[in-house]
Amino acid sequence: MNRKWIQVLFVAMCILVLSACGKTVEEKATAGIENAESVFTSDPTETNKAIGHIELYLPSGFNIEKGIDESNYTVVNGKDSYILFVNPNETEDSQLHYDLIKNDAKNNIIQDKTFEKEGVFGFSAVNKKDEETFELVVSVGGVKISTISDEKKIDEKLQYMMEIAKSVKVVR
């Protein structure tokens, strides 16, 4: 009987140690926002897709679907869905999306950061929706992309989202 308790205690300690090694949501958000900033400050990736009145870059495995109108699109990567909103009337220095998210009292923003380069304004934000889900938002001027996510791969998702948002070109 003593040996079983030792084994149970050993397994419990291993689980405790392994769970402590994982990154917290805040650490993942920080890493994701840093990734997004790195993408924002670099040159945009060359476009590889066109739909409606926009051209954009989509990473491997991502697809785009027409939305309800010329401004809203759904971007899909496996089970993950992203909403891409393109407002062609907003300028590259527009802070509209940032002001809206910051001034909404319902938001529980864990982290956000703004970026500016050569007259272009952008930001990334992680907004806690409930105990297990988060809204990830990335914007560049009048382009905004958002998704609802669990805490897995927040850092990667924010990077991909900024790659997409930064690459959007409105074609007239």
Side-chain angles (χ1 to χ4, degrees):
M1 186 71 145
N2 221 2
R3 179 176 257 182
K4 277 191 175 188
W5 280 108
I6 291 173
Q7 288 175 338
V8 169
L9 184 60
F10 178 76
V11 169
M13 291 298 288
C14 287
I15 291 172
L16 183 63
V17 168
L18 290 175
S19 65
C21 293
K23 287 184 177 179
T24 65
V25 172
E26 290 79 9
E27 291 170 329
K28 290 177 185 176
T30 298
I33 289 173
E34 288 173 0
N35 291 348
E37 182 176 22
S38 177
V39 170
F40 180 85
T41 57
S42 64
D43 292 332
T45 308
E46 192 168 322
T47 61
N48 61 2
K49 299 283 183 196
I51 187 169
H53 67 284
I54 64 167
E55 293 178 353
L56 72 161
Y57 166 76
L58 290 178
S60 179
F62 284 72
N63 294 305
I64 190 164
E65 302 169 358
K66 182 75 176 88
I68 57 173
D69 58 35
E70 286 289 314
S71 298
N72 292 287
Y73 301 89
T74 303
V75 177
V76 180
N77 179 26
K79 294 180 182 178
D80 296 324
S81 293
Y82 304 82
I83 302 300
L84 175 64
F85 175 74
V86 180
N87 184 345
N89 300 318
E90 289 294 321
T91 59
E92 289 185 327
D93 64 348
S94 174
Q95 296 185 20
L96 175 67
H97 297 298
Y98 183 70
D99 293 340
L100 290 173
I101 198 169
K102 288 297 279 189
N103 294 325
D104 188 343
K106 294 182 286 182
N107 286 333
N108 181 10
I109 298 172
I110 294 174
Q111 285 188 27
D112 71 287
K113 187 169 183 182
T114 62
F115 321 113
E116 291 186 59
K117 181 182 176 191
E118 299 172 359
V120 179
F121 177 84
F123 78 92
S124 292
V126 177
N127 182 20
K128 187 172 185 177
K129 298 308 267 179
D130 60 39
E131 288 302 315
E132 297 180 8
T133 58
F134 303 87
E135 178 185 31
L136 310 180
V137 181
V138 168
S139 178
V140 177
V143 176
K144 179 179 94 168
I145 185 167
S146 61
T147 189
I148 300 297
S149 176
D150 59 17
E151 66 181 77
K152 296 177 186 168
K153 299 185 181 179
I154 287 175
D155 48 349
E156 291 177 21
K157 289 178 182 179
L158 286 170
Q159 178 178 337
Y160 289 139
M161 292 166 67
M162 183 59 81
E163 288 174 358
I164 294 167
K166 180 98 191 272
S167 73
V168 172
K169 295 178 185 175
V170 177
V171 181
R172 302 256 174 193

